[in-house]
Amino acid sequence: FAYGNPSSSPWRRYAPLALLVGMSLLLGYSVRAGFLSPRNLGLPPGKEDGDVKYVGIKNLSNTCYLNSVLQSLYFCKPFRESVLAAAFKKKSVGQELKAVFQKLADGEKATSKAAVKPFGLVATMDVDVDVQQDAEEFFLSLLNAVEESLDLDESTAGNKQAVLAVSPARHFRFRMRQRIRCVEHAHDNDKELSQLDLSLDISRSGSLSEALAQHFAPEILRGENRYRCSQHGLQEAEKSL
C-alpha cells in the first residue's frame, strides 16, 4: 500500500493525531456523563469519581493466575458482598479472602495506591508461589475452601442444603440433569449434577453458542465406552445433559 507523497496528502500526516484527540474527547465525555462511574463498574457506592483510587494485587512470583482470579471475583458484586458479610473460621481461607477484599475496598479511599499483598491467603491455601497453576483449578479450589471456611451454627453446618444456601459460592453454582438411555431397552438413568464451572471446547468452536451446543449434544456410548446397565449389563446408550 503506497501512501503517496505526504505533501500532497496532508490529512495522512495528521489522521493519527485527530484520532487520539477524538478518543480523548469521547473518554472525557464518558467520565462526565457517568458511564465510567463506580456504580456502573460495580464498585461500592458513596464516592465521587475523582475520589476513587484503584489498587492492584502484588505478584508474589508466578501468581498472575491467582491475581486474575481474585480481581475477577472481587468485581463480581454479589460474590464480593457475600464474602464481606460472611462469618468465617479463624485463620481460614474464607477469612483471608475476606481480608484481601476488604483491603481492595479500602484502597479506593487510600492516600496511596500500594498493591495488596495476599500473603495470608497464599499461606492458608498452601500455594507454591514459584509454580504456575491453572486459573480454573485455583478458582474451584478457592470456592470450595471458602465454603468449608464458613463459621456456622451446628444446625446449619449439619444441613448440606442450608450450607449451600448461605455459601458465597452459591452465586456460581448451577445444576444440570444427566440422562443415560439404553438404545435397545427402555431404561433411563437420570442424575442431577451440581457444578461450579462448565468446561467448553472454545478452540474447536466458532462461537460461544456453538461451543455450548456441542457440549450439550447427545453422546453415543459404544464399544469400550458402553454403559453398564443395572438390568442388562453393558449396553450402547445415549448420554445427554
Side-chain angles (χ1 to χ4, degrees):
F1 181 82
Y3 278 92
N5 187 351
S7 61
S8 63
S9 303
W11 64 271
R12 299 182 186 275
R13 185 180 302 173
Y14 300 108
L17 178 61
L19 179 61
L20 288 175
V21 171
M23 292 176 65
S24 299
L25 292 174
L26 179 60
L27 179 60
Y29 172 77
S30 299
V31 171
R32 289 192 300 273
F35 298 138
L36 300 180
S37 66
R39 181 186 300 275
N40 290 337
L41 291 174
L43 295 172
K47 306 178 182 65
E48 297 297 329
D49 290 352
D51 296 332
V52 175
K53 296 179 174 62
Y54 303 96
V55 295
I57 300 176
K58 179 72 174 178
N59 193 333
L60 305 181
S61 183
N62 291 326
T63 58
C64 53
Y65 69 94
L66 180 146
N67 295 0
S68 298
V69 171
L70 294 182
Q71 290 281 18
S72 298
L73 289 176
Y74 178 77
F75 279 95
C76 180
K77 186 177 180 180
F79 181 80
R80 178 182 73 229
E81 292 180 342
S82 294
V83 169
L84 293 175
F88 294 105
K89 301 171 185 176
K90 293 182 178 180
K91 298 182 179 180
S92 67
V93 172
Q95 184 186 50
E96 294 298 337
L97 178 64
K98 184 175 181 177
V100 170
F101 279 8
Q102 191 61 61
K103 290 177 182 177
L104 289 173
D106 291 343
E108 295 168 18
K109 57 187 178 184
T111 56
S112 66
K113 297 184 179 181
V116 175
K117 302 176 180 64
F119 289 115
L121 181 63
V122 166
T124 308
M125 293 193 69
D126 196 24
V127 172
D128 186 344
V129 297
D130 294 322
V131 177
Q132 184 69 258
Q133 294 187 29
D134 181 79
E136 182 185 14
E137 291 180 0
F138 176 75
F139 166 78
L140 294 175
S141 177
L142 177 62
L143 290 190
N144 288 323
V146 167
E147 190 165 278
E148 295 172 359
S149 301
L150 289 168
D151 190 7
L152 305 171
D153 56 67
E154 292 184 5
S155 60
T156 303
N159 186 328
K160 183 178 180 180
Q161 293 304 317
V163 173
L164 296 180
V166 299
S167 170
R170 70 184 185 276
H171 299 293
F172 296 98
R173 182 173 283 105
F174 62 95
R175 292 180 295 177
M176 292 194 304
R177 184 173 297 279
Q178 174 184 277
R179 168 170 293 178
I180 300 179
R181 170 172 294 175
C182 294
V183 173
E184 296 184 3
H185 305 279
H187 178 73
D188 293 344
N189 183 352
D190 285 2
K191 180 170 62 174
E192 188 174 88
L193 307 175
S194 177
Q195 296 187 216
L196 291 170
D197 72 328
L198 190 63
S199 298
L200 302 176
D201 190 354
I202 300 294
S203 62
R204 291 190 289 182
S205 306
S207 65
L208 176 60
S209 298
E210 184 179 331
L212 285 168
Q214 292 179 2
H215 183 82
F216 288 101
E219 174 188 1
I220 300 299
L221 306 178
R222 57 166 59 99
E224 295 182 355
N225 199 30
R226 285 179 297 171
Y227 170 64
R228 184 175 294 278
C229 176
S230 59
Q231 300 179 9
H232 306 284
L234 291 175
Q235 296 288 322
E236 285 195 3
E238 180 184 83
K239 177 182 176 181
S240 59
L241 297 172

